[in-house]
Amino acid sequence: GAGVSQTPSNKVTEKGKYVELRCDPISGHTALYWYRQSLGQGPEFLIYFQGTGAADDSGLPNDRFFAVRPEGSVSTLKIQRTERGDSAVYLCASSSEQGAKQYFGPGTRLTVT
Amino acid sequence: KQEVTQIPAALSVPEGENLVLNCSFTDSAIYNLQWFRQDPGKGLTSLLLIQSSQREQTSGRLNASLDKSSGRSTLYIAASQPGDSATYLCAVKTAAGNKLTFGGGTRVLVKP
């Protein structure tokens, strides 16, 4: 079956702009995760959804970052007033249930100029 | 706070040699530990997942061990091939939450 998909694959934006990154999880997966990976580092946790609700948003760096999952499937990560330090690869993962193996998408490479 | 460290950060070996990749974590109260492979510009591919009650997992040429009490895991790749060149990441899931905490990765180059 289809894996986790993320769009766009690449996004270049100017400092101060607003961006939205989309994640389509594996069909039927109730848990969805967002991570951010800076160059040469391991991914860092941002937020976790169980169904429609954010069960853990402790990794969001500040209030410019927000994520939604209104119907318990597709999720959108939203970044306001982008800064150059937001440049990274944003990875999405899903799992069939809380605590199960996480399957990762290919990521969205965000570049803020 | 859980911290995960991978040493070495980079490794270069001739084809055919066995690879040994190390991962250490500070909080032994883990739920499971996962090893991933990441190719340049790509997402993560799960290789092996070890539950906290297990000592090791094997898949083909790959074997991962877990020593929870000492906070260590080792990934062994037997008879390395150039196609094994990639970055290998370990990640732990603590019993208290669902997020994965990743190490910084080991970048492996297998020379033909």
Side-chain angles (χ1 to χ4, degrees):
Chain A
V4 178
S5 63
Q6 292 185 245
T7 54
S9 56
N10 282 283
K11 176 71 177 178
V12 180
T13 191
E14 294 180 348
K15 178 176 178 295
K17 298 290 188 182
Y18 168 84
V19 296
E20 290 189 350
L21 311 179
R22 176 188 169 105
C23 172
D24 277 273
I26 292 172
S27 178
H29 279 194
T30 58
L32 185 145
Y33 311 79
W34 284 98
Y35 295 84
R36 177 168 73 172
Q37 186 175 25
S38 299
L39 192 63
Q41 299 181 19
E44 293 181 318
F45 170 78
L46 294 176
I47 186 169
Y48 152 63
F49 287 89
Q50 182 59 42
T52 60
D56 182 354
D57 65 357
S58 62
L60 294 177
N62 51 60
D63 61 7
R64 295 186 298 105
F65 289 74
F66 189 72
V68 296
R69 195 185 185 201
E71 298 179 358
S73 178
V74 170
S75 175
T76 304
L77 178 65
K78 307 180 180 191
I79 310 174
Q80 299 177 324
R81 304 183 304 280
T82 52
E83 300 177 356
R84 292 194 180 88
D86 299 334
S87 296
V89 175
Y90 289 80
L91 294 165
C92 176
S94 70
S95 65
S96 59
E97 59 187 11
Q98 183 173 312
K101 181 190 289 190
Q102 295 180 25
Y103 296 85
F104 281 77
T108 293
R109 181 175 299 278
L110 176 66
T111 304
V112 182
T113 62
Chain B
K1 178 187 171 185
Q2 178 73 270
E3 293 183 1
V4 181
T5 304
Q6 291 186 248
I7 295 173
L11 184 61
S12 179
V13 299
E15 181 177 3
E17 270 200 15
N18 297 330
L19 285 163
V20 180
L21 308 179
N22 298 301
C23 172
S24 62
F25 46 94
T26 55
D27 184 351
S28 62
I30 67 169
Y31 186 81
N32 62 42
L33 182 145
Q34 227 170 323
W35 282 94
F36 293 88
R37 169 184 172 137
Q38 186 173 35
D39 292 286
K42 305 291 185 183
L44 279 64
T45 301
S46 180
L47 298 174
L48 292 167
L49 183 149
I50 312 176
Q51 300 292 350
S52 62
S53 58
Q54 296 175 318
R55 296 284 292 183
E56 66 176 350
Q57 277 287 334
T58 299
S59 176
R61 294 185 294 112
L62 277 59
N63 174 277
S65 66
L66 174 64
D67 183 343
K68 204 171 66 164
S69 61
S70 68
R72 293 180 183 176
S73 176
T74 303
L75 177 66
Y76 301 89
I77 303 177
S80 62
Q81 303 168 359
D84 295 328
S85 298
T87 296
Y88 292 83
L89 294 151
C90 73
V92 299
K93 178 184 175 305
T94 61
N98 287 286
K99 65 182 181 183
L100 294 178
T101 302
F102 284 84
T106 295
R107 192 170 66 255
V108 171
L109 176 63
V110 180
K111 299 178 181 176

